[in-house]
């Protein structure tokens, strides 16, 4: 029974740049365009950064400076779990009297999952609980920084020249290759305001200032390479000592081959993102700033606007035999919704996956509004809807169960059916044009969605 | 899969040394010797079916742990060439909640974490840690200081053995008698015959 509640069985079609079929729980609904949006047809923006273990918020500038890593928390280099600090008592000589020893606390890092400790790689115990741990320095940092500076300067100079040429000649056929050679694409640059190179472009006014000429030495190719040790092919491999690829690539600075050189790294920050509809530029999802809060300031998810179809029970499906499948429809809004279902036409371009014919009820189904207090009200009054007992099996507050008839067309494989769901939607986001009229209900528009159900294999 | 129990063969006495804390609610059957300073929690099961079990000092056997010396699965107890093999468990081991241990020889300072399973043909030396939910059913000797962890039972070697749980043992030996009845200590008159 639990498998029938899996949302992947019921897919809604999103008509965006690409046609995507996704369950309703993963979709967003733009109230202003009155259309379904999936994660691929919205633009993602970074809201805030936070550390997943200490839940500390970090402003974006600070995050960029620390390379998106938390200052306090470490990851185990062996299993990528969060490391915890443990304390032991070690006897240490008193500073005043070297002959006597007292117990001093020494701290080391340990992983609770794979039992890795910082003593395994030779890191000495620290006397401070936090802040004493240093990441090893990358030996190539200086050279990399110098190279980055040189190329930033080069990119800036080229852009200045290009701008000057543009103003001077105004040729319409500017080749695309000239646009920001060492920078980011223009579209990304527009959105990512924190990129370092765009900050430099703002300094184009300072042309007259002496800019330090940065020169770099070209990298030198070596003729001689260190020879392999003699027993390289004959020495047996000590498997526990060899690092896995994943452990190695998580530390791209060093990529140690031996497990005794795996040092812990600071934990990566996670980010909260907000989503924006690409057509009307309205926010679809905006989380709260506080990392401990899971609520949203703006949450335009599809499940709270579109009626949801769920499969309740599937009988044995046989080839070319008509069977009845029980579905439920849930109304998420507070007013009464009218839903009608239509079969897909013969040459429908959206209908590519269905392997069975479906007969949907022809009458319009009426769904009651969602009443938050209804679950506490035991003496629920009968809702007074006239239901055709052949079509509607049960009705419970804002949910109804109804039958559809399915005739599988193929002898083998999974049975998939598709139909169109048409319902009325009252747009409460539209501004009230005339304040004098006391119009309680706003205009209803009819939306049509393409729904696909996968009903599983045929009964043997 | 847990082995089936042949109850007719579970005879023999339980010898508990002085200083061990064995709760009455634990299920000990067969010829079992428990060393000093060992703590056996309630609902732990130590079943010596196909031979005696000798448990050393300072061990910690938590709830629902199962230490069983059973017949190998393809042999019936009535077969004639069955020799009772002794299961030896060393000192300072920890058997966490819900683990199943059938290993015939366990050394010192090992930790078998919760819901781990150790098969009959595995020999744990010293300082080994079998991680939570890891099933080790191979036929091998696990080298010292090995840690087996993760859903794929990855292994690595640590540089030092896990510390003996002396603090925990002291605490339990003080607290458990306040809430549970204990089995009476029976001094072992002679060392059991080792085959």
């Amino acid at each position: 029974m639990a498998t029938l509640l899996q949302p992947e069985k019921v897919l809604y079609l999103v008509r965006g740049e690409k046609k995507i079929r996704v369950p309703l729980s993963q979709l967003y609904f733009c109230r202003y365009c009155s259309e379904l949006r999936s994660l691929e047809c919205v633009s993602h923006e970074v809201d805030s950064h936070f550390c997943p273990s200490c839940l500390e918020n970090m402003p974006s500038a600070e995050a960029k400076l620390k390379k998106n890593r938390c200052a306090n928390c470490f990851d185990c280099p062996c299993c990528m779990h969060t490391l915890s600090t443990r304390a032991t008592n070690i006897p240490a000589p008193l500073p005043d009297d070297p002959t006597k020893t007292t117990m001093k606390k020494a701290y080391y890092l340990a992983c609770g999952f794979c039992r890795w400790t910082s003593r395994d790689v030779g890191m000495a115990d620290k006397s401070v609980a936090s802040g004493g741990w240093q990441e090893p320095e990358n030996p190539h940092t200086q050279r990399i920084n110098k190279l980055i500076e040189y190329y930033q300067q080069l990119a800036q100079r080229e852009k200045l020249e290009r701008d000057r040429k543009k103003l001077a000649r105004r040729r319409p056929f500017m080749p695309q290759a000239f646009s920001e050679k060492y920078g980011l694409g223009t579209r990304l640059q527009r959105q990512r305001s924190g990129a370092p190179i765009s900050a430099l472009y703002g300094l184009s006014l300072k042309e007259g200032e002496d800019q330090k000429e940065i020169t770099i030495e070209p990298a030198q190719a070596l003729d001689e390479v260190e020879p392999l040790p003699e027993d390289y092919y004959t020495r047996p491999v000590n498997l526990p000592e060899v690092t896995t690829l994943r452990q190695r690539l998580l530390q791209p600075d060093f990529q140690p081959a031996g497990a005794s050189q795996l040092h812990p790294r600071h934990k990566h920050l996670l980010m909260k993102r907000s989503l924006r509809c690409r057509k009307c530029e309205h926010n679809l999802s905006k989380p709260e700033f506080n990392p401990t809060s899971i609520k949203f300031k703006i949450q335009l998810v599809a499940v709270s606007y579109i009626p949801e179809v769920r499969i309740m029970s599937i009988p044995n499906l046989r080839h070319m035999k008509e069977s009845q499948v029980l579905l439920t429809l849930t109304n998420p809004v507070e007013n009464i919704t009218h839903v009608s279902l239509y079969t897909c036409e013969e040459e429908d371009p959206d209908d590519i996956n269905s392997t069975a014919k479906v007969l949907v009820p022809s009458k319009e189904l009426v769904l009651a509004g969602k009443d938050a207090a209804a679950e506490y009200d035991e003496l629920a009054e009968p809702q007074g809807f006239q239901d055709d007992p052949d079509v509607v099996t049960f009705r419970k507050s804002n949910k109804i169960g109804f039958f559809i008839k399915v005739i599988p067309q193929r002898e083998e494989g999974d049975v998939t059916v598709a139909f169109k769901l048409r319902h009325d939607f009252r747009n409460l986001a539209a501004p009230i044009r005339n304040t004098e009229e006391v119009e309680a209900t706003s205009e209803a528009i009819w939306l049509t969605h393409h729904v696909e159900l996968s009903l599983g294999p045929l009964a043997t | 899969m847990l082995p089936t129990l042949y109850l007719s063969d579970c005879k023999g006495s339980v010898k508990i040394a002085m200083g061990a804390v064995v709760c009455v609610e634990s299920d000990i059957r067969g010829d079992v010797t428990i060393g000093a300073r060992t703590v056996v929690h309630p609902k732990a099961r130590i079943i010596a079916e196909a031979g005696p079990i000798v448990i050393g000092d300072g061990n910690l056997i938590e709830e629902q742990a199962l230490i069983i010396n059973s017949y190998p699965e393809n042999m019936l107890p009535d077969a004639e060439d069955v020799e009772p093999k002794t299961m030896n468990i060393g000192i300072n081991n920890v058997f966490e909640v819900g683990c199943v241990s059938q290993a015939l020889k366990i050394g010192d300072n090992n930790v078998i974490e919760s819901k781990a399973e150790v098969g009959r043909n595995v020999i744990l030396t010293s300082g080994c840690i079998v991680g939570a939910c890891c099933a080790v059913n191979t036929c091998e000797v696990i080298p010292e200081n090995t840690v087996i962890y993760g859903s794929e039972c990855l292994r690595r070697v640590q540089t030092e053995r896990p510390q003996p749980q002396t603090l925990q043992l002291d605490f339990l030996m003080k607290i458990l008698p306040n809430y549970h009845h204990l089995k009476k200590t029976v001094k072992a008159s002679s060392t059991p015959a080792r085959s």
Side-chain angles (χ1 to χ4, degrees), chain A residues 386-402:
Chain A
Q386 304 294 330
D387 290 330
D388 185 356
D390 286 338
V391 172
V392 177
T393 45
F394 70 89
R395 180 179 284 273
K396 188 178 171 193
S397 65
N398 63 335
K399 186 158 65 160
I400 62 165
F402 64 100

Side-chain angles (χ1 to χ4, degrees), chain A residues 170-190:
Chain A
R170 279 179 175 252
R171 277 197 199 158
F173 53 91
M174 198 41 87
Q176 278 300 314
F178 272 131
S179 59
E180 275 115 20
K181 226 199 267 186
Y182 301 111
L184 314 157
T186 42
R187 184 150 178 251
L188 292 170
Q189 221 184 9
R190 188 181 7 118

Side-chain angles (χ1 to χ4, degrees), chain A residues 12 307-310 325-330 338-345 358-367 391-392 400-405 418-424 446-453:
Chain A
Y12 283 66
E308 190 180 355
V309 175
R310 275 199 190 177
V325 177
L326 182 58
L327 305 177
T328 59
L329 249 187
T330 317
H338 305 267
V339 176
S340 19
L341 304 169
Y342 301 102
T343 49
C344 294
E345 318 221 325
V358 60
L359 299 167
V360 289
S362 47
K363 282 198 199 154
E364 197 179 62
L365 304 164
V366 185
L367 298 171
V391 172
V392 177
I400 62 165
F402 64 100
F403 281 120
I404 57 168
K405 299 186 175 63
F419 54 84
K420 302 261 191 261
L421 178 97
R422 187 166 175 262
H423 69 102
D424 57 344
W446 290 87
L447 300 173
T448 310
H449 307 288
H450 178 91
V451 182
E452 284 185 9
L453 309 170

Side-chain angles (χ1 to χ4, degrees), chain A residues 78 113-116 119-120 240, chain B residues 113 129 147 149 156-157 159:
Chain A
C78 191
F113 186 60
C114 68
R115 308 260 179 155
W116 181 93
R119 294 172 178 167
D120 283 353
Chain B
E113 287 189 7
I129 299 182
V147 179
Y149 67 97
R156 48 171 288 273
V157 179
T159 48

Side-chain angles (χ1 to χ4, degrees), chain A residues 75-78 80 116 120-121 123 135-140 232 238-265:
Chain A
D75 268 345
C76 172
C78 191
M80 298 91 200
W116 181 93
D120 283 353
V121 280
M123 287 167 75
E135 273 187 25
E137 267 258 342
N138 185 358
H140 306 293
Y232 196 75
N238 182 12
L239 265 184
E241 175 63 18
V242 176
T243 51
T244 65
L245 262 186
R246 187 154 184 244
Q247 290 167 354
R248 222 180 277 192
L249 295 177
L250 277 178
Q251 306 204 4
D253 301 349
F254 306 98
Q255 295 186 29
S260 52
Q261 287 142 33
L262 279 176
H263 286 267
R265 293 209 70 177

